[in-house]
Each structure stands twice: as C-alpha cells, then as structure tokens.
Amino acid sequence: MTEFPQNGSLKVWWKESTVYQVYPSSFRDSNGDGIGDIQGVISKLDYIKTLGADIVWLNPIFSSPQVDVGYDISDYYGIHPPYGTVADVDELAAGLHARGMKLVLDLVVNHTSDQHPWFQESRSSLTNSYRDWYIWKKPVYKDGQQQPPNNWKSYFGGSAWTYDEGTGEYYLHLFAREQPDLNWETPQVRTAVHEIMRYWLARGADGFRMDVINFISKDQRFPDAPITNSGSRWQSGKQFYACGPRLHEYLRDIGKILKEYDAFSVGEMPDVDDSVEVLRAVGHDREEPSMVFQFEIVGIDHGAEGKFAPRRWEMQELKRIVSKWQTYMIDNHGWNAIYLENHDQGRSVSRFASDRPEHLQLSAKMLATFLGCQCGTLFIYQGQELGMPNVPRDWPMDNYRDIETLNHWKEMTSLHPDDASLHRTTQGEYRLKSRDNSRTPMPWDESPNAGFSVAQPWIPVHGDHLATINAAAQVKDPSSAFWYWAKVLRLRKQYPEVFIYGSFALVSPEHEDVFAYTRTPLSPSGREGALIVLNFRPYEVSWSVPPKLLLSNPGEIVLSNYPSRAGSQLNETTSISLGPLEALVWLW
Ligand code: TEU
Ligand code: CA
C-alpha cells in the first residue's frame, strides 16, 4: 500500500460533514398553498440540527416554469415565487450559520429552461449574439426524410434534439425539450456560470451541488451513438458527452472559484462507472469538485432496456461495487459521496431492504449503519431518517407528477396499447424506481396532510404507516429510526479516524446474505478498528466471526438495531445468528 499522508493535510471539514437534502416543494408548506417553501425550511432547522446534520442542500429554488421541478431554470438570480424571495434565502443562510451549519445550493448549468432569456434570444435568429450559447445543428436527410442531427436519446424519452421552425435547425436537450443544453464551448457561457456562482457564494451560500456536471463538455463531432437498445430508434450517446474532452478544463475553472470561498462541492456524474475517470475530478490535488455522486449502486436494479426495466440484484454485485469505490478512493486520495436516496431515487428501504410494515424501522436502521459507517461524505435525503417507504401499492397513475415517469408511461402505452401485463409490470417498476417515490410530502405528524400543509399538497401524501413514519412521533421515541441515525452521525464525529478516515475491507465476501466490513484507522487513534455486520435479509441468518478478528479484538458493540445485542460481546462465540435485517457495529 502506498503511504497515506499522516500530516493531516487530507483532513478537511467537508469530509467530516453530513449533508441533509431538502426537496423544497415537498418539505414544509408555511403559507398554505400546498407547495413547500423556504420559510417552511427555516421553521425546521432545529429538527435538522437535532438529527446532527451539518449542511443543508436545497434542490433548485430559482425561477423556473417547473417542467422538471426547478431543473429548468429561467433566472439564476430570482427565486421561484411559491418558494419565497431572495430575502428568504438570506434568512435561511443566516439561520443555518447561526446554528454552525452551511447552505448548499443546486447549480444547474448543463442546461437552462427554454424560457430563459438566453434561449429566447438564441432561438430568435441564426445571427443573434446568443445563438452559440446553445447547441444548434442543421437537419440531416436520410432517404429524403428530415432527421435530427444524430440518434441520441433524451433521458426523458424520444430524441435529444428538437426542431425549431423559426430558424430551421435542431437544438440539443439531453433532458426535456424545455431544457436546452448550454454550449460550454462558448466562453461567455462559462463566464456567465462563474458569475452566478460568485453571486450566491458572496450572498451566503456555502457551496454547490452541481447537476449532471460531467455532461457539460460534448464531443464536437456529435456522432451517432452505437446501437445498444435495438428496440428503439434513439440510443444513449453517453460516450460522447459523459466526461467529454474539455470537462476537466471547465471543472478547474469552477474549482478556482470554489477554492476562493473554501466552498463545499459535490458534482452529479451519471453514466460513469469507471473509478479512474471519477478520480480525475475528485483526486485530492485536482481542485475540481470535492466529491461526486456516482450511480453504480443506485443503478443496480435498472434493467438492460433502461431504468424501468426490471432487474434483480445480487449481494455479490453490491459488495463488489461498494468495495470498489471505497478502496479505490481511500488508496488514491479521492473522496466519495455516500448516498442511497435523493429526489431521483426510490426509497432505500423499498429497494435495498424490506418495506413490509414490521420491517420498516429495522430496514431503515440497517441501511443507516450500512451507509453511515462507510468512508465518504454522508448524504441523507428528507424522510430517509424516518424510514419512509416508496408509494403504496394502490398508488394510481394519476398521482404521479414526474416528467420522467409520465413520459415513459405515455411512450410505453402508445407503443403497446393492449399489453395489460406489460402495463402492470411497468407500474410495479414505477413503484420501485419512479422519482415520485421520494417526492411525496415530508410527514411531520399525524394531522391532515401529515402536517406538511393545511392545504391539499401538490402531490398526494403517502398515507400508510403514518402513525410511526412521522417526525413528531419519532423525535419522541428514543428507539426510532430518527434517533438511530442521530447515533450514527455521532459515532462518525466521535471516532473520525475510524469512521471518516479509516480504510475499508470486506469481511466474509462470499456470504450471500450478510454484508460485513471493517474500518481501520490509518493514523494512530484511541480505537483500533470497527466491524460492521449487516443482515440484508428479512429473516434470520447465521454468520461466523472470522477467527482472526476474534483473537485480537476484545471490543464492544456500540450500535445495533436489536436492543438485546447492544453492549454484548462478539468474542465469546464464532458463529452468531443475526435477526432479520439486523445491523451491528463492533468497535475495539
Ligand atoms: O439528474 C440526472 C440524471 O441523469 C438522472 O438521475 C435523472 O434524474 C433520471 O433519473 C434519469 O433516469 C439530474 C437531476 O438530479 C434530476 O432531478 C434532473 O431531472 C436532471 O438532472 C436534469 O436536470
Ligand atoms: Ca407554500
């Protein structure tokens, strides 16, 4: 192993921080219009502080027609009126800072809204000075038929190109047609982004989450993508825009600004599973985003034909992926962002454990242990700390709001109008992976609309399990998932050499049901290591403590989701029986 720098230079505040993600429209509605807002967030800062998070990341709050809940920005300096005003953002930043916490905003600069004045100018004529701010191409003709410039597909269905009558050219949009991609080759675009960053940093933001930041540099030849889905006319062009030719040049410019402000940064990087590639951004000496969200774990149940195709995942795959990112980043001085949930993902208890009512709390705690003991900056998505599950089985199609799900449904039902069985399995997949699973209102208490709003919420409340899955009930109950998460965060703070900076190794890698790993300090510390043991199954399984660990380590169990286990010893027995979804952390 290469020698790990011992001088503390690789220890930084953002590695030791935990981020709590707030989806503003679904967090808390303060003024009774059914939409969450910034004052609502302000009213819950003590709750987030009690949990032990250090940073609040807000999904986009800027002016937007809301085609994609704010990922379509029409003014980077204005706030979406239902959310509040710039003064509210100032108040939020001040409220966080007063509690020793930080504010992270969502920077969406791969694309804008089609209503952004830049795009309005750009589409107005071939010679407008904003024309090159977006990606325009002439049609191509095949067999006398007009075609888009290439076969790339959009993430939200159909071609990634839309024809614009006015000027007779197509523009690129990797997402919805209302989300045209900016042309980062144009220097003025980059300058405009830098100005936005400086404005919000100077105003009190402490950093950014950067939306699809690895998509900003495209292969300028815009070639056709290879055919990977023979059932579709449109193909993934990811190899031509995910980590494109000039990405790191652009990221270093951004990095300079981040450094000036000692800002927090996490880049979102879909479609790259290569850790070598990711290290080019997050290596400690790169001065690009400090960490990125990779998608390999949350993509584990995506089928070959796309996200909404079924796929069963195996324990061995999960172990391989987690171990790959953990060890690679530790060995090479990179850094991971650790997450299982966000506003784009189904709830983790439903996807990775068991969401049967009797298992919800156990599952939430087991996954909290799984995530919270890994190396990386921890991200918790609103409601995850309560063990919120996916939408119920009887959730009708009418309840979905998400453009990705709705477009997919439209496309699928128009291609296969009479295939009832396909419709059924697809709806089953939505209940696992639709983005709306995580966008239902935050349950604050048992009052109408779960205490989210006095009015009817913009998306229905998840009504099941409300007696236990609500913040008020869990804050009152010391044995709740909420307080378990709080303990996990405290453990990280108490033993940073083990849980933040320690090395990672899988234990009994071949076990089909149990995920176990150790964390071992790399520099001297009061503790010599931790063993994390997780039964991912909703039934009892047996597991053997490796003898090597037993002999040398008279430790104690410092955390478990089974009260009977806490405080007991592992070193008296080699084979133990783990309860359904049991988690334990043994520290020595
Ligand atoms: O998501 C990017 C992305 O590639 C996916 O996670 C996407 O949301 C979808 O699930 C693909 O199946 C980011 C944002 O997080 C997402 O909310 C936005 O819709 C998207 O970019 C466009 O801005
Ligand atoms: Ca409101």
Side-chain angles (χ1 to χ4, degrees), residues 120-258:
Q120 297 289 312
E121 290 287 334
S122 185
R123 84 186 325 172
S124 68
S125 82
L126 289 168
T127 54
N128 185 280
S129 59
Y130 286 86
R131 186 66 176 178
D132 290 337
W133 282 47
Y134 294 84
I135 300 167
W136 293 98
K137 296 275 172 242
K138 290 190 179 45
V140 298
Y141 291 88
K142 274 183 201 141
D143 304 325
Q145 295 277 357
Q146 182 185 310
Q147 312 272 343
N150 67 28
N151 66 353
W152 295 2
K153 71 167 184 166
S154 147
Y155 285 91
F156 294 158
S159 167
W161 299 89
T162 287
Y163 184 66
D164 198 46
E165 295 282 345
T167 53
E169 290 187 341
Y170 286 84
Y171 65 89
L172 179 73
H173 54 88
L174 294 179
F175 295 90
R177 68 172 64 215
E178 296 89 350
Q179 293 168 298
D181 280 51
L182 282 163
N183 180 8
W184 277 67
E185 300 284 321
T186 300
Q188 291 90 325
V189 166
R190 306 198 296 268
T191 308
V193 169
H194 301 158
E195 277 168 14
I196 295 164
M197 293 179 68
R198 286 183 186 285
Y199 174 84
W200 287 109
L201 289 169
R203 212 171 169 114
D206 301 292
F208 299 103
R209 175 267 188 188
M210 299 184 273
D211 193 55
V212 290
I213 201 66
N214 61 324
F215 290 180
I216 59 181
S217 166
K218 277 101 178 165
D219 184 327
Q220 293 301 299
R221 296 166 301 164
F222 293 93
D224 271 334
I227 295 179
T228 46
N229 180 0
S230 54
S232 173
R233 185 167 165 208
W234 311 114
Q235 305 295 325
S236 169
K238 64 184 178 186
Q239 70 186 93
F240 303 111
Y241 59 72
C243 301
R246 295 179 71 184
L247 176 66
H248 296 288
E249 172 194 342
Y250 301 157
L251 289 181
R252 274 195 298 274
D253 290 347
I254 287 175
K256 281 193 199 112
I257 301 171
L258 295 169

Side-chain angles (χ1 to χ4, degrees), residues 28 38 57 62 65 129 205 224 253 314 325 381 480 552 570 577 580:
R28 163 81 191 142
I38 298 168
W57 152 33
F62 309 104
S129 59
D224 271 334
D253 290 347
E314 304 293 335
W325 290 98
Y381 178 72
S480 64
S552 53
L570 279 193
S577 158

Side-chain angles (χ1 to χ4, degrees), residues 570-585:
L570 279 193
N571 41 347
E572 284 154 16
T573 161
T574 49
S575 179
I576 58 171
S577 158
L578 296 166
L581 301 154
E582 178 165 357
L584 62 87
V585 178

